[in-house]
Amino acid sequence: GQQLNQSPQSMFIQEGEDVSMNCTSSSIFNTWLWYKQDPGEGPVLLIALYKAGELTSNGRLTAQFGITRKDSFLNISASIPSDVGIYFCAGQEKGTGTASKLTFGTGTRLQVTL
Amino acid sequence: KAGVTQTPRYLIKTRGQQVTLSCSPISGHRSVSWYQQTPGQGLQFLFEYFSETQRNKGNFPGRFSGRQFSNSRSEMNVSTLELGDSALYLCASSLNRNTEAFFGQGTRLTVV
């Protein structure tokens, strides 16, 4: 099945550092979503983006919807140990046939060292 | 407000058997989607139900099926289980078809 290109695949950072990850697609999406998943759990929604160029923050997290509608990025500022997990981007198409289908990225595994 | 509830959390089945997984969406949510997550393929869309009708289907064989009840609760069924069906099955609910999806904790299915 289709997966979006997400990078980096994994990253080790020190507590307090900023983190940046991005997601690219060959298809246009009308909504971009960012999720975090802990081991053995379901993805938890972090940020939802609805318009090209939109920049949205949720605490230390900031995400942007790319102008071309084919990409998105997520920044985490001043990382803390509980930021550890796998981050997924997801694109959602618009249209009566595919409106609810999410296409997920390959994931970025974040590990934070003290 | 309670989140998305999936039961059971863990399941072990033998090849050839069938299995039914259950999902209770967030109260008031009408759209339920199912996803399969494996290390090799990542998160893949299975199907979506809205108003008791399947609205969208992913690229999975006919052994995978589902349904939605009038209270929006959903079940998915996998028949003639194969080893490759071992995965985390995730249910997501949305208020409507175009709104953001919230996931349950998933059902970990192991086929032996």
Side-chain angles (χ1 to χ4, degrees):
Chain A
Q2 182 189 6
Q3 285 183 281
L4 306 178
N5 296 314
Q6 191 173 340
S7 64
Q9 190 173 12
S10 65
M11 44 196 320
F12 289 81
I13 61 168
Q14 288 195 321
E15 185 178 6
E17 288 185 346
D18 296 344
V19 173
S20 184
M21 60 191 79
N22 68 74
C23 202
T24 59
S25 168
S26 57
S27 305
I28 290 175
F29 290 113
N30 289 285
T31 300
W32 282 94
L33 305 167
W34 285 92
Y35 290 88
K36 176 177 182 272
Q37 186 176 28
D38 292 327
E41 303 291 329
V44 174
L45 181 64
L46 299 174
I47 290 180
L49 301 158
Y50 301 103
K51 283 170 38 174
E54 179 182 356
L55 186 70
T56 296
S57 293
N58 178 9
R60 293 178 296 104
L61 277 60
T62 302
Q64 185 159 27
F65 192 142
I67 293 291
T68 64
R69 293 161 64 195
K70 293 183 178 182
D71 60 345
S72 177
F73 74 77
L74 175 71
N75 282 345
I76 305 172
S77 62
S79 58
I80 58 178
S82 62
D83 290 333
V84 166
I86 303 178
Y87 291 79
F88 289 98
C89 63
Q92 185 175 39
E93 300 171 38
K94 187 176 181 180
T96 54
T98 59
S100 59
K101 173 185 173 182
L102 295 178
T103 302
F104 279 86
T106 48
T108 294
R109 182 182 297 273
L110 178 64
Q111 301 200 42
V112 180
T113 58
L114 298 175
Chain B
K1 194 185 249 191
V4 179
T5 303
Q6 290 188 246
T7 55
R9 287 293 309 275
Y10 304 93
L11 208 47
I12 299 176
K13 288 287 187 178
T14 305
R15 265 185 307 175
Q17 286 186 312
Q18 75 164 18
V19 67
T20 299
L21 312 181
S22 180
C23 173
S24 293
I26 293 170
S27 177
H29 284 199
R30 299 165 63 199
S31 173
V32 174
S33 299
W34 290 88
Y35 292 80
Q36 181 196 64
Q37 186 175 28
T38 60
Q41 296 297 314
L43 280 146
Q44 297 293 322
F45 173 78
L46 279 158
F47 29 65
E48 180 226 357
Y49 287 87
F50 181 81
S51 292
E52 302 177 64
T53 303
Q54 187 180 91
R55 303 293 178 147
N56 205 351
K57 190 176 192 309
N59 189 25
F60 280 83
R63 300 185 296 107
F64 291 81
S65 63
R67 58 178 175 168
Q68 186 180 34
F69 303 95
S70 58
N71 61 359
S72 294
R73 191 176 71 83
S74 177
E75 290 181 345
M76 68 163 280
N77 184 78
V78 188
S79 62
T80 319
L81 284 166
E82 301 177 359
L83 295 179
D85 297 333
S86 295
L88 181 67
Y89 289 88
L90 292 159
C91 167
S93 81
S94 304
L95 187 62
N96 292 301
R97 298 193 67 211
N98 281 317
T99 53
E100 57 266 28
F102 296 88
F103 283 83
Q105 292 178 300
T107 294
R108 170 73 62 186
L109 172 65
T110 302
V111 182
V112 297

